Amino acid sequence: MIETKNTQLEEQIIQVLNANQVCSFATIDGNKPKVRYMALFHDGLEIYLTTSKKTDKVEELQENPNVNILVGYDGKSTPNILQIQATATISSDNALREKLWNDDMKQWFEGPHDPNYVVMDILPTYIEFTTKGSEPQIWKK
């Protein structure tokens, strides 16, 4: 693996994030991993996932903020894969909640100010970028 932290690698990672609207999101439940599919939002390398504060995910993050995200596989072959190790916090930033809100969320929430609607703010510490035919490249914070 090639370890690097350069602008070109960050741009490649952001292109993969831009190309994917869904990710696999893993938390720790007790001492076991728990994975689910989530809608993916991001601003640069900062990742956002939305959920209800009544879900297991929120409780699991309070116990252990370490998470893992897999991006780039949607059931068919894809040339670029990201494996992201990160820490997650629950954001109370109303501007962020409004920015990420979309009408598809109406089936679960009354609106961007619904008290059950929360944003998980995910800050990567390690990203493994794999592209078909190349050795993985590593980004570290």
Side-chain angles (χ1 to χ4, degrees):
M1 283 186 224
I2 301 166
E3 187 174 317
T4 183
K5 186 181 176 184
N6 63 42
T7 304
Q8 181 181 359
L9 177 57
E10 288 182 4
E11 288 173 5
Q12 290 175 304
I13 291 168
I14 290 168
Q15 286 176 1
V16 176
L17 292 171
N18 286 341
N20 290 273
Q21 296 179 343
V22 176
C23 66
S24 295
F25 175 65
T27 57
I28 304 297
D29 184 11
N31 64 353
K32 296 183 181 186
K34 191 171 182 182
V35 181
R36 69 281 278 164
Y37 293 112
M38 302 282 301
L40 174 67
F41 305 94
H42 75 97
D43 184 4
L45 296 180
E46 194 164 354
I47 297 169
Y48 305 107
L49 306 176
T50 61
T51 192
S52 170
K53 75 175 184 178
K54 296 178 180 182
T55 62
D56 292 342
K57 295 179 284 291
V58 172
E59 188 175 312
E60 291 156 7
L61 292 178
Q62 291 168 345
E63 294 292 320
N64 186 339
N66 295 300
V67 299
N68 195 287
I69 296 174
L70 178 63
V71 178
Y73 183 75
D74 62 1
K76 56 186 180 282
S77 182
T78 180
N80 302 313
I81 304 284
L82 301 177
Q83 291 202 53
I84 303 168
Q85 294 175 12
T87 55
T89 57
I90 303 300
S91 175
S92 58
D93 182 341
N94 281 327
L96 181 60
R97 290 164 34 123
E98 290 172 8
K99 177 181 174 183
L100 298 179
W101 176 262
N102 65 61
D103 286 342
D104 292 340
M105 296 176 186
K106 286 182 179 177
Q107 60 185 313
W108 299 288
F109 307 106
E110 292 179 14
H113 299 288
D114 184 323
N116 290 317
Y117 167 63
V118 297
V119 174
M120 295 180 286
D121 188 352
I122 304 190
L123 299 173
T125 54
Y126 173 98
I127 302 173
E128 182 178 304
F129 171 79
T130 305
T131 191
K132 196 171 191 171
S134 296
E135 188 172 340
Q137 296 180 60
I138 304 299
W139 177 94
K140 287 185 178 182
K141 183 172 182 181

